[in-house]
Amino acid sequence: MGPRRNLPLAIGGAIVAAITLLALLAPWLAPYDPTAVNPGGRLAPPSAAHPLGTDALGRDVWTRVLHGGRVGLVVGVVAVVIGAGIGAPLGLVAGQFGGWVDLALMRLVDGLMAFPALLLAILTVAALGPGHIQAMGAIGVVLVPVFARVARGQALRLRDQEFTIAARALGATDARILGRHILPNTLGLLWIQATVAFSGAVLTEASLSYLGLGAQPPTPSWGWMLQEAREVLFVAPWLGIWPGVAIAAAVLGWNLLGDGIRDRLDPRR
Amino acid sequence: MRKFLIRRLLFTIPVSVAVVFLVFLSLHLTPGDPVMALLPPESVGTNQAERDELANALRKRLGLDQPFHIQLLRYFGNLARLDLGTSAVTRDPIGHELAPRYQATLELAVASMIIAVAIGVGVGILSATRPNTRLDAIATTLSLAGLSMPSFVLGLLLMLVFALQFGWLPPSGRPASAFSAEGFRYLILPAVTLGLQGAGLLVRLTRSQMLEVLREDYVRTARAKGMRERWVIYRHALRNAMIPIVTALGLQFGFLLSGAIVVESVFAFPGVGRYLVQSVLNRDFPAVQSSVLLVSLTFVAVNLLVDALYALLDPRIRYAA
């Protein structure tokens, strides 16, 4: 099989790279302070000084879009790490030990999966309180069952493979089999899952902050910027455009990237 | 068939118990003393002694002075009597507050489901029967855009165009049930927003399932014996492609319920989702728990329903179980 064109991978990768770069470099690229209020220049339409205009408090929208990306990126990364960090070990242990351990852990996972994702995140935020730190935990909780299922499936598949049986015959402990034989063979799948999970994490973060349950003002976040834009939609409709474009582009980029990676690894397509 | 349904019904019991348990547990996840987090905002200015007194009264009222297992049993007991508790803010029974909102959310969810299925399955079939044409490319691109566009962005866009620019539809609110002509107009924008988003996933799924099924031997046989293409597609291909699609509808309903939380906030639509968000912001924990429980158990019930439908569509499921 020769090299094939993988358009989703290329476009998704480019979008993700661009957004990540913009977010990382926000403090150097942004012309203003994201929280600096300017009562004299409120709701200014786009101009040379403010390429995307200013919001109801006179803050520069371009600056806030850049910094909002930074907040979203950090929340997403930490949430995926939390989800994978709790979910994967749970799944590996359930798959390796089987029996009642598996049954108990998987019923817990089923229970978590019985909640629509955003609902579970909101419930967690309700317990922890609103804020972008809490949002990381809330989105992480939502991702736990996803990673647990992937890891369990792989552990079950590998449990009866010859190299696992050989290791067991040599007297390796369960911990050693999991750590040395099963985990390394699960990492690839977990990486793919992390890419897919990230687009969901970005979307959930934006939804939470739109609802006022994520990053709290004055911390810039795309979701809350849209909420603020909604309040002044009649006078300043341009405020809603860029945070919306940013969220859609970020989610699209990660979706395409996930699709592309899956296509590349799936020989049937 | 009956055996399958009974097994499936029995399986929902542990899941529902797990859901109730997790919802119950969430209050105890609150860092520090949950009661302090529940104290009404007006207590912030008061002094320590007054606050303690308030906290103790609240603790007693919520039964939080009891040991954990007693609290848990009480929680299950109250639910069994359909007692959802009283709101910490309005002091009204939560059941009364939720009932009309639940109806509103169900109307929204069902309307958007109809839109999602009509557009999603329809466009998916069109796309799959004309693979790699311009129409197919447009459909798959738009469906990915639909999937990536958060409902609050799409909702604001539709509101801007259809309510503010053209003035065809009301921008927000819900004066009456959707079964009245006036109420129906208020349902359109939220339902279309949510439905279009749901359609994105269904287009992709229908397309890939149809493409797979259209490669099957029985489809080739049907064509070879001279059956009309339309008949091949609807009788042979679609029916088999529908099985995974129907399963996805259950999950889809979960997305819709999640999406409804956001869309209700965009359009100030007084449903369970908006009530939930308000309750979180008001730190009205009993109301939060009950709304989360109501929506999750609805989700569990819908998945049960979908599985029953699944067995109806595919005879193999009935016998295998």
Side-chain angles (χ1 to χ4, degrees):
Chain A
M1 189 169 33
R4 284 177 306 163
R5 275 201 328 153
N6 191 333
L7 215 53
L9 191 67
I11 299 177
I15 297 177
V16 165
I19 290 179
T20 309
L21 215 61
L22 286 175
L24 288 178
L25 298 178
W28 295 277
L29 291 175
Y32 301 92
D33 176 349
T35 55
V37 178
N38 175 13
R42 296 166 47 204
L43 297 177
S47 64
H50 299 283
L52 306 183
T54 63
D55 68 7
L57 295 175
R59 296 172 298 194
D60 181 52
V61 173
W62 169 235
T63 301
R64 287 182 63 79
V65 168
L66 285 174
H67 280 272
R70 210 173 154 80
V71 173
L73 186 72
V74 172
V75 172
V77 168
V78 175
V80 170
V81 168
I82 292 175
I86 300 175
L90 275 185
L92 288 178
V93 166
Q96 171 77 3
F97 292 97
W100 68 266
V101 176
D102 185 28
L103 199 74
L105 287 178
M106 283 303 119
R107 282 301 85 78
L108 186 75
V109 167
D110 283 341
L112 286 176
M113 291 200 79
F115 294 95
L118 185 60
L119 202 65
L120 185 56
I122 291 179
L123 182 66
T124 315
V125 167
L128 301 176
H132 64 282
I133 306 285
Q134 291 87 335
M136 295 172 184
I139 300 167
V141 167
V142 174
L143 295 176
V144 164
V146 178
F147 285 99
R149 291 212 149 186
V150 171
R152 174 175 176 269
Q154 188 69 355
L156 278 179
R157 211 165 300 129
L158 297 175
R159 194 166 59 173
D160 302 321
Q161 296 273 314
E162 271 130 8
F163 62 87
T164 321
I165 298 172
R168 189 167 294 126
L170 285 168
T173 59
D174 281 316
R176 188 179 164 82
I177 292 175
L178 273 180
R180 297 282 304 194
H181 298 282
I182 296 191
L183 181 62
N185 283 300
T186 310
L187 282 179
L189 275 181
L190 290 178
W191 273 112
I192 301 177
Q193 194 58 55
T195 316
V196 178
F198 201 86
S199 71
V202 169
L203 193 56
T204 311
E205 190 275 331
S207 305
L208 283 178
S209 62
Y210 176 80
L211 295 172
L213 306 175
Q216 296 294 300
T219 307
S221 71
W222 293 341
W224 187 251
M225 289 175 75
L226 273 173
Q227 180 66 265
E228 289 175 332
R230 178 184 177 271
E231 286 156 19
V232 290
L233 202 59
F234 296 88
V235 273
W238 65 84
L239 281 185
I241 298 170
W242 295 105
V245 168
I247 298 170
V251 178
L252 180 71
W254 282 98
N255 270 337
L256 283 172
L257 192 64
D259 273 9
I261 293 176
R262 228 176 351 203
D263 276 0
R264 166 157 291 188
L265 298 177
D266 184 356
R268 277 179 308 158
R269 294 173 73 179
Chain B
M1 177 77 181
R2 179 183 287 175
K3 215 170 172 185
F4 169 77
L5 286 182
I6 291 174
R7 274 175 58 132
R8 187 60 188 75
L9 195 64
L10 287 178
F11 177 73
T12 54
I13 296 173
V15 170
S16 307
V17 170
V19 166
V20 175
F21 180 68
L22 287 169
V23 167
F24 171 77
L25 205 64
S26 62
L27 176 60
H28 295 264
L29 272 175
T30 308
D33 188 347
V35 173
M36 293 323 258
L38 287 177
L39 280 181
E42 65 261 24
S43 69
V44 171
T46 58
N47 64 41
Q48 187 63 36
E50 278 177 61
R51 216 174 8 222
D52 280 348
E53 197 178 321
L54 269 172
N56 280 332
L58 190 63
R59 194 170 287 132
K60 204 160 188 120
R61 195 157 59 79
L62 293 175
L64 288 171
D65 50 346
Q66 304 281 329
F68 182 81
H69 63 280
I70 300 286
Q71 288 183 42
L72 182 63
L73 282 177
R74 269 199 183 172
Y75 191 65
F76 273 97
N78 288 340
L79 286 180
R81 284 183 278 114
L82 295 180
D83 176 3
L84 295 176
T86 43
S87 157
V89 173
T90 61
R91 307 285 156 98
D92 286 327
I94 295 168
H96 285 207
E97 297 199 330
L98 275 177
R101 294 178 166 92
Y102 189 52
Q103 191 197 336
T105 296
L106 284 186
E107 284 173 11
L108 175 59
V110 170
S112 50
M113 192 78 174
I114 293 172
I115 295 172
V117 171
I119 296 179
V121 175
V123 174
I125 294 175
L126 273 182
S127 207
T129 48
R130 296 160 184 74
N132 304 320
T133 58
R134 193 171 300 169
L135 182 98
D136 181 29
I138 294 172
T140 38
T141 311
L142 279 183
S143 72
L144 194 65
L147 267 180
S148 307
M149 181 92 100
S151 49
F152 45 95
V153 177
L154 186 62
L156 282 182
L157 211 67
L158 292 178
M159 193 197 281
L160 207 58
V161 174
F162 293 101
L164 300 186
Q165 199 66 38
F166 295 124
W168 290 341
L169 291 164
S172 60
R174 170 183 149 97
S177 152
F179 293 105
S180 66
E182 180 62 5
F184 187 74
R185 278 165 47 81
Y186 282 83
L187 185 69
I188 297 175
L189 277 182
V192 168
T193 304
L194 207 49
L196 281 180
Q197 223 199 359
L201 194 76
L202 284 178
V203 168
R204 278 158 64 101
L205 189 70
T206 308
R207 179 178 178 276
S208 69
Q209 287 304 324
M210 281 295 282
L211 280 178
E212 206 143 294
V213 170
L214 284 172
R215 275 200 293 264
E216 295 282 343
D217 288 342
Y218 55 79
V219 170
R220 181 154 30 101
T221 308
R223 280 182 179 149
K225 70 183 182 191
M227 192 178 252
R228 253 196 247 145
E229 185 65 17
R230 176 182 294 261
W231 205 242
V232 173
I233 286 166
Y234 291 101
R235 274 302 288 248
H236 290 256
L238 185 61
R239 181 140 187 211
N240 282 292
M242 273 318 277
I243 293 164
I245 297 172
V246 166
T247 315
L249 290 185
L251 282 177
Q252 185 77 24
F253 200 80
F255 286 123
L256 285 183
L257 288 174
S258 276
I261 301 172
V262 177
V263 168
E264 283 174 6
S265 294
V266 173
F267 292 100
F269 190 85
V272 180
R274 190 150 177 268
Y275 179 74
L276 168 64
V277 173
Q278 294 293 326
S279 303
V280 174
L281 293 172
N282 291 337
R283 297 189 299 181
D284 185 350
F285 218 84
V288 171
Q289 285 183 312
S290 297
S291 359
V292 169
L293 205 60
L294 183 63
V295 177
S296 317
L297 292 181
T298 306
F299 184 41
V300 170
V302 167
N303 274 309
L304 177 69
L305 212 71
V306 160
D307 276 6
L309 201 63
Y310 191 56
L312 214 68
L313 269 176
D314 188 354
R316 283 170 303 182
I317 312 278
R318 276 173 250 165
Y319 300 122

